[in-house]
Amino acid sequence: MAARASKARRAFTGDATTARAMQAGKAAWWAASGLAARRLVRIDRGEGRPDVRSEAPPVSMAELRRAWLEAFAKDTADVEAGLYPYAEAPANPQRMFARLTDLFEDARAVDARRRRRAGTEARAEASSTAYPAYYRQNFHYQSGGWFTEASAQRYEAQVELLFSGAAGPMRRRALSLLARAWRDRDQRGLRVLDVACGSGAFLADLRASFPRALSLGLDLSRPYLKEARRRSGAAVVQANAERLPFADASLDAATCVYLFHELPPRVRPVVARELARVLKPGGVLAFADSAQAADAPGLKRLLDAFPALFHEPFFASYQEEDLPALFAEAGLRLEGHDSAFLTKALLLRKA
Ligand SMILES: C[S@@+](CC[C@H](N)C(=O)[O-])C[C@H]1O[C@@H](n2cnc3c(N)ncnc32)[C@H](O)[C@@H]1O
């Protein structure tokens, strides 16, 4: 499916002071909502509670809070430095409450799935020939997997709830690396592809940050692409990241946010090679994904708990993946890195 750009939800674009104020409001809203959700669903109690095995010491709440605040501080510093604008859809209280009610209603279904360890129910929703087996699962125990409109509409709020409103600042570490790489370039006509764009939050950031470049989104999920198009206004294409429908050396940049921890180990090199293939010589990949325990030893216990808490079947092997070596084998050299909260970001360049 290739779709033309449609009218995006209008974003508010502001300076660092506005960004700080809006982020504080958003963070407070999602942190309070997260607290309420955790009270509603006590996943650590009762039958079927997750079996978390970790030798790592308990995570210090002070360290977690420090890392969370740092994500916001880095984001606003980049807005202040003019690297990218703060572009957010204005808060709509009616919509926010509706979204939250839906999340709370769905939270019980998610918890029931977690207690039954039912991570593959979504197979019933999706054809076995159209999608790889590893994809036909309920990642995060989410209702509908990647296959329903309700899932696509709920996803961004679920992520915000999980990270207490820091999802945008976390993803934007990749935006920061790309903005630095492109700072001195005439961006007219540059082409950037967001691979595994999901419901389009990062794609919307790309469009707002590089209005003269052509930003495109790609994902395997039709409902998520529909949401991405609505959110960002960008053109999107349905395809498997293992076979990108773009010519060799045809893109100036690619971005890839939170895909690799959801790929089996044998598929990661395939996607890395595809990303390298479609980049022009000198083109860059701005990558962001979960932190690895080696980067954040103090958070190791939390990272160890992720697969059991959120049905992440490939997360443990992702923790062991040597990402710079993986991309080097594909022809992409590590040029920069950054981190925020539970996220790491890398900038890689094709020779
Ligand atoms: C955790 S979500 C991340 C989405 C988005 N980048 C974000 O930051 O919210 C993973 C996304 O990867 C997509 N995905 C997983 N495997 C894929 C594949 N082989 N090809 C294309 N997309 C894939 C899923 O459909 C989903 O939208």
Side-chain angles (χ1 to χ4, degrees), residues 128-147:
S128 61
T129 50
Y131 302 98
Y134 66 81
Y135 185 80
R136 294 164 53 233
Q137 305 201 42
N138 303 71
F139 286 89
H140 324 138
Y141 291 113
Q142 65 192 359
S143 304
W146 302 121
F147 302 102

Side-chain angles (χ1 to χ4, degrees), residues 134-135 140 146 155-156 171 196-198 218-221 224 239-242 257-259 261-263:
Y134 66 81
Y135 185 80
H140 324 138
W146 302 121
Y155 175 78
E156 189 55 19
R171 291 187 181 104
C197 64
L218 175 143
D219 202 282
L220 247 184
S221 164
Y224 276 67
N240 189 333
E242 296 175 61
V257 179
Y258 301 138
L259 170 65
H261 74 275
E262 296 199 344
L263 296 178

Side-chain angles (χ1 to χ4, degrees), residues 1-6 191 193 197 203 214-222 225-226 228-229 233-240 245-246:
M1 172 179 71
R4 290 308 312 153
S6 68
R191 298 198 336 147
L193 175 69
C197 64
L203 189 56
L214 177 65
S215 301
L216 306 161
L218 175 143
D219 202 282
L220 247 184
S221 164
R222 263 178 209 279
L225 285 172
K226 186 175 168 195
R229 201 165 62 243
V236 296
V237 56
Q238 188 194 20
N240 189 333
F246 290 87

Side-chain angles (χ1 to χ4, degrees), residues 35 38 57-69 164 298-299 301-302 341:
L35 211 64
R38 282 189 285 280
V59 173
S60 142
M61 288 317 283
E63 176 166 353
L64 203 59
R65 200 173 310 113
R66 187 202 56 72
W68 178 68
L69 288 172
S164 302
L299 303 180
R301 197 182 177 91
L302 186 56
F341 199 26

Side-chain angles (χ1 to χ4, degrees), residues 102-138:
D102 170 64
L103 269 190
F104 284 178
E105 277 169 16
D106 183 59
R108 292 185 196 282
V110 171
D111 190 46
R113 212 169 283 119
R114 177 167 27 225
R115 288 176 196 277
R116 294 198 311 275
R117 317 254 194 275
T120 54
E121 279 180 356
R123 294 226 156 123
E125 311 250 6
S127 134
S128 61
T129 50
Y131 302 98
Y134 66 81
Y135 185 80
R136 294 164 53 233
Q137 305 201 42
N138 303 71

